[in-house]
CSV table of all heavy atoms in Angstrom, one decimal:
chain,number,residue,atom,x,y,z
A,1267,VAL,N,7.7,-25.8,0.1
A,1267,VAL,CA,7.4,-26.5,1.3
A,1267,VAL,C,8.1,-27.9,1.3
A,1267,VAL,O,8.6,-28.3,2.3
A,1267,VAL,CB,5.8,-26.7,1.5
A,1267,VAL,CG1,5.5,-27.7,2.5
A,1267,VAL,CG2,5.2,-25.4,1.7
A,1268,VAL,N,8.0,-28.5,0.1
A,1268,VAL,CA,8.6,-29.9,0.0
A,1268,VAL,C,10.1,-29.9,0.3
A,1268,VAL,O,10.6,-30.8,0.9
A,1268,VAL,CB,8.4,-30.4,-1.5
A,1268,VAL,CG1,9.1,-31.7,-1.7
A,1268,VAL,CG2,6.9,-30.7,-1.7
A,1269,VAL,N,10.8,-28.8,-0.1
A,1269,VAL,CA,12.3,-28.8,0.2
A,1269,VAL,C,12.6,-28.0,1.4
A,1269,VAL,O,13.8,-27.8,1.7
A,1269,VAL,CB,13.0,-28.2,-1.0
A,1269,VAL,CG1,12.9,-29.1,-2.3
A,1269,VAL,CG2,12.7,-26.8,-1.3
A,1270,GLY,N,11.6,-27.7,2.2
A,1270,GLY,CA,11.8,-27.0,3.5
A,1270,GLY,C,12.1,-25.5,3.5
A,1270,GLY,O,12.6,-25.0,4.5
A,1271,GLU,N,11.8,-24.9,2.4
A,1271,GLU,CA,11.9,-23.4,2.3
A,1271,GLU,C,10.6,-22.8,2.7
A,1271,GLU,O,9.9,-22.2,1.9
A,1271,GLU,CB,12.3,-23.1,0.9
A,1271,GLU,CG,13.7,-23.5,0.5
A,1271,GLU,CD,14.8,-22.7,1.1
A,1271,GLU,OE1,14.5,-21.6,1.7
A,1271,GLU,OE2,15.9,-23.1,1.1
A,1272,LEU,N,10.3,-22.8,4.0
A,1272,LEU,CA,9.0,-22.3,4.5
A,1272,LEU,C,8.8,-20.8,4.3
A,1272,LEU,O,7.7,-20.3,4.0
A,1272,LEU,CB,8.8,-22.8,5.9
A,1272,LEU,CG,8.9,-24.3,6.1
A,1272,LEU,CD1,8.6,-24.6,7.6
A,1272,LEU,CD2,7.9,-25.0,5.2
A,1273,GLY,N,9.9,-20.0,4.5
A,1273,GLY,CA,9.8,-18.6,4.3
A,1273,GLY,C,9.5,-18.3,2.8
A,1273,GLY,O,8.6,-17.4,2.6
A,1274,ALA,N,10.1,-19.0,1.9
A,1274,ALA,CA,9.8,-18.8,0.5
A,1274,ALA,C,8.4,-19.2,0.2
A,1274,ALA,O,7.7,-18.6,-0.6
A,1274,ALA,CB,10.8,-19.5,-0.4
A,1275,ALA,N,7.9,-20.3,0.8
A,1275,ALA,CA,6.6,-20.7,0.6
A,1275,ALA,C,5.6,-19.7,1.1
A,1275,ALA,O,4.6,-19.4,0.3
A,1275,ALA,CB,6.3,-22.1,1.3
A,1276,ARG,N,5.8,-19.1,2.2
A,1276,ARG,CA,4.9,-18.0,2.7
A,1276,ARG,C,4.9,-16.8,1.8
A,1276,ARG,O,3.9,-16.2,1.5
A,1276,ARG,CB,5.3,-17.6,4.1
A,1276,ARG,CG,4.8,-18.6,5.2
A,1276,ARG,CD,5.0,-18.0,6.6
A,1276,ARG,NE,6.4,-17.9,6.9
A,1276,ARG,CZ,7.2,-18.8,7.4
A,1276,ARG,NH1,6.8,-20.0,7.6
A,1276,ARG,NH2,8.5,-18.6,7.6
A,1277,SER,N,6.1,-16.5,1.3
A,1277,SER,CA,6.2,-15.3,0.4
A,1277,SER,C,5.5,-15.6,-0.9
A,1277,SER,O,4.8,-14.7,-1.4
A,1277,SER,CB,7.7,-15.0,0.2
A,1277,SER,OG,7.8,-14.0,-0.7
A,1278,ALA,N,5.7,-16.8,-1.4
A,1278,ALA,CA,5.0,-17.2,-2.7
A,1278,ALA,C,3.5,-17.2,-2.5
A,1278,ALA,O,2.7,-16.7,-3.4
A,1278,ALA,CB,5.5,-18.5,-3.2
A,1279,ARG,N,3.0,-17.6,-1.3
A,1279,ARG,CA,1.5,-17.5,-1.1
A,1279,ARG,C,1.0,-16.1,-1.0
A,1279,ARG,O,-0.1,-15.8,-1.5
A,1279,ARG,CB,1.2,-18.3,0.2
A,1279,ARG,CG,1.4,-19.8,0.2
A,1279,ARG,CD,0.2,-20.4,-0.6
A,1279,ARG,NE,0.4,-21.9,-0.6
A,1279,ARG,CZ,0.4,-22.6,-1.6
A,1279,ARG,NH1,0.2,-22.2,-2.8
A,1279,ARG,NH2,0.6,-23.9,-1.5
A,1280,SER,N,1.8,-15.2,-0.4
A,1280,SER,CA,1.5,-13.8,-0.3
A,1280,SER,C,1.4,-13.2,-1.7
A,1280,SER,O,0.6,-12.4,-2.1
A,1280,SER,CB,2.5,-13.0,0.5
A,1280,SER,OG,2.3,-13.4,1.9
A,1281,LEU,N,2.4,-13.6,-2.6
A,1281,LEU,CA,2.4,-13.1,-3.9
A,1281,LEU,C,1.2,-13.6,-4.7
A,1281,LEU,O,0.6,-12.9,-5.4
A,1281,LEU,CB,3.7,-13.6,-4.6
A,1281,LEU,CG,3.8,-13.4,-6.1
A,1281,LEU,CD1,3.7,-11.9,-6.5
A,1281,LEU,CD2,5.1,-13.9,-6.7
A,1282,GLU,N,0.9,-14.9,-4.5
A,1282,GLU,CA,-0.3,-15.5,-5.1
A,1282,GLU,C,-1.6,-14.6,-4.7
A,1282,GLU,O,-2.4,-14.3,-5.6
A,1282,GLU,CB,-0.5,-16.9,-4.7
A,1282,GLU,CG,-1.4,-17.7,-5.4
A,1282,GLU,CD,-1.5,-19.2,-5.0
A,1282,GLU,OE1,-0.8,-19.6,-4.1
A,1282,GLU,OE2,-2.3,-19.9,-5.6
A,1283,ALA,N,-1.7,-14.3,-3.5
A,1283,ALA,CA,-2.8,-13.5,-3.1
A,1283,ALA,C,-2.8,-12.1,-3.7
A,1283,ALA,O,-3.9,-11.6,-4.1
A,1283,ALA,CB,-2.9,-13.4,-1.5
A,1284,ALA,N,-1.7,-11.5,-3.8
A,1284,ALA,CA,-1.6,-10.1,-4.4
A,1284,ALA,C,-1.9,-10.2,-5.9
A,1284,ALA,O,-2.6,-9.3,-6.4
A,1284,ALA,CB,-0.2,-9.6,-4.2
A,1285,LEU,N,-1.4,-11.3,-6.6
A,1285,LEU,CA,-1.8,-11.5,-8.0
A,1285,LEU,C,-3.3,-11.7,-8.2
A,1285,LEU,O,-3.9,-11.2,-9.1
A,1285,LEU,CB,-1.0,-12.6,-8.6
A,1285,LEU,CG,0.5,-12.4,-8.8
A,1285,LEU,CD1,1.3,-13.7,-9.0
A,1285,LEU,CD2,0.7,-11.4,-10.0
A,1286,ASP,N,-3.9,-12.4,-7.3
A,1286,ASP,CA,-5.3,-12.7,-7.4
A,1286,ASP,C,-6.1,-11.4,-7.2
A,1286,ASP,O,-7.1,-11.2,-7.9
A,1286,ASP,CB,-5.7,-13.7,-6.3
A,1286,ASP,CG,-7.1,-14.2,-6.6
A,1286,ASP,OD1,-7.4,-14.6,-7.8
A,1286,ASP,OD2,-7.9,-14.3,-5.7
A,1287,ARG,N,-5.6,-10.5,-6.3
A,1287,ARG,CA,-6.3,-9.2,-6.2
A,1287,ARG,C,-6.2,-8.4,-7.5
A,1287,ARG,O,-7.1,-7.8,-7.9
A,1287,ARG,CB,-5.7,-8.4,-5.0
A,1287,ARG,CG,-6.2,-9.0,-3.7
A,1287,ARG,CD,-5.8,-8.0,-2.5
A,1287,ARG,NE,-4.3,-7.9,-2.4
A,1287,ARG,CZ,-3.5,-8.7,-1.7
A,1287,ARG,NH1,-4.0,-9.8,-1.1
A,1287,ARG,NH2,-2.2,-8.5,-1.6
A,1288,CYS,N,-5.0,-8.5,-8.2
A,1288,CYS,CA,-4.8,-7.8,-9.5
A,1288,CYS,C,-5.7,-8.4,-10.5
A,1288,CYS,O,-6.3,-7.7,-11.4
A,1288,CYS,CB,-3.4,-7.9,-9.9
A,1288,CYS,SG,-2.3,-6.9,-8.9
A,1289,ARG,N,-5.9,-9.7,-10.5
A,1289,ARG,CA,-6.8,-10.4,-11.4
A,1289,ARG,C,-8.2,-9.9,-11.3
A,1289,ARG,O,-9.0,-9.8,-12.3
A,1289,ARG,CB,-6.7,-11.9,-11.3
A,1289,ARG,CG,-7.5,-12.7,-12.3
A,1289,ARG,CD,-7.3,-14.1,-12.2
A,1289,ARG,NE,-7.8,-14.6,-10.9
A,1289,ARG,CZ,-7.9,-15.9,-10.6
A,1289,ARG,NH1,-7.5,-16.8,-11.5
A,1289,ARG,NH2,-8.3,-16.2,-9.4
A,1290,GLN,N,-8.6,-9.5,-10.1
A,1290,GLN,CA,-10.0,-9.0,-9.9
A,1290,GLN,C,-10.2,-7.6,-10.4
A,1290,GLN,O,-11.3,-7.1,-10.6
A,1290,GLN,CB,-10.3,-9.1,-8.4
A,1290,GLN,CG,-10.4,-10.5,-7.9
A,1290,GLN,CD,-10.5,-10.6,-6.4
A,1290,GLN,OE1,-10.9,-9.7,-5.7
A,1290,GLN,NE2,-10.2,-11.8,-5.9
A,1291,SER,N,-9.1,-6.9,-10.6
A,1291,SER,CA,-9.1,-5.5,-11.2
A,1291,SER,C,-8.2,-5.5,-12.4
A,1291,SER,O,-7.1,-4.8,-12.4
A,1291,SER,CB,-8.6,-4.5,-10.2
A,1291,SER,OG,-9.5,-4.5,-9.0
A,1292,PRO,N,-8.6,-6.1,-13.5
A,1292,PRO,CA,-7.7,-6.3,-14.6
A,1292,PRO,C,-7.3,-5.1,-15.4
A,1292,PRO,O,-6.3,-5.1,-16.1
A,1292,PRO,CB,-8.4,-7.3,-15.5
A,1292,PRO,CG,-9.8,-7.1,-15.2
A,1292,PRO,CD,-9.9,-6.7,-13.7
A,1293,SER,N,-8.0,-4.0,-15.2
A,1293,SER,CA,-7.6,-2.8,-16.0
A,1293,SER,C,-6.6,-1.9,-15.3
A,1293,SER,O,-6.1,-0.9,-15.8
A,1293,SER,CB,-8.9,-1.9,-16.2
A,1293,SER,OG,-9.5,-1.5,-15.0
A,1294,GLU,N,-6.2,-2.3,-14.1
A,1294,GLU,CA,-5.3,-1.6,-13.3
A,1294,GLU,C,-3.9,-2.1,-13.5
A,1294,GLU,O,-3.7,-3.3,-13.7
A,1294,GLU,CB,-5.6,-1.6,-11.8
A,1294,GLU,CG,-7.0,-1.1,-11.4
A,1294,GLU,CD,-7.0,0.4,-11.6
A,1294,GLU,OE1,-6.1,1.1,-11.3
A,1294,GLU,OE2,-8.1,0.9,-12.1
A,1295,PRO,N,-2.8,-1.2,-13.4
A,1295,PRO,CA,-1.5,-1.7,-13.4
A,1295,PRO,C,-1.2,-2.6,-12.2
A,1295,PRO,O,-2.0,-2.6,-11.2
A,1295,PRO,CB,-0.6,-0.5,-13.3
A,1295,PRO,CG,-1.5,0.6,-13.7
A,1295,PRO,CD,-2.9,0.2,-13.3
A,1296,LEU,N,-0.2,-3.4,-12.2
A,1296,LEU,CA,0.1,-4.2,-11.0
A,1296,LEU,C,0.3,-3.4,-9.8
A,1296,LEU,O,0.8,-2.3,-9.8
A,1296,LEU,CB,1.5,-5.0,-11.3
A,1296,LEU,CG,1.4,-6.2,-12.2
A,1296,LEU,CD1,2.8,-6.7,-12.4
A,1296,LEU,CD2,0.4,-7.2,-11.7
A,1297,ALA,N,-0.2,-3.9,-8.7
A,1297,ALA,CA,-0.1,-3.3,-7.4
A,1297,ALA,C,1.3,-3.3,-6.9
A,1297,ALA,O,2.1,-4.2,-7.2
A,1297,ALA,CB,-1.1,-3.9,-6.4
A,1298,ALA,N,1.7,-2.3,-6.1
A,1298,ALA,CA,3.0,-2.3,-5.5
A,1298,ALA,C,3.3,-3.5,-4.7
A,1298,ALA,O,4.4,-4.0,-4.6
A,1298,ALA,CB,3.2,-1.0,-4.7
A,1299,SER,N,2.2,-4.1,-4.1
A,1299,SER,CA,2.4,-5.3,-3.3
A,1299,SER,C,2.9,-6.5,-4.2
A,1299,SER,O,3.7,-7.3,-3.6
A,1299,SER,CB,1.1,-5.7,-2.7
A,1299,SER,OG,0.1,-6.0,-3.6
A,1300,VAL,N,2.6,-6.6,-5.4
A,1300,VAL,CA,3.1,-7.6,-6.3
A,1300,VAL,C,4.6,-7.5,-6.4
A,1300,VAL,O,5.4,-8.4,-6.2
A,1300,VAL,CB,2.4,-7.6,-7.7
A,1300,VAL,CG1,3.1,-8.6,-8.6
A,1300,VAL,CG2,1.0,-8.0,-7.5
């Protein structure tokens, strides 16, 4: 966001959400969304 890469910022936030979902199911392999 600071350097104006808003698309990358949105993508990183989506990745963060996908990783958080994986953290809630730690015994599962990474989701395809990650």
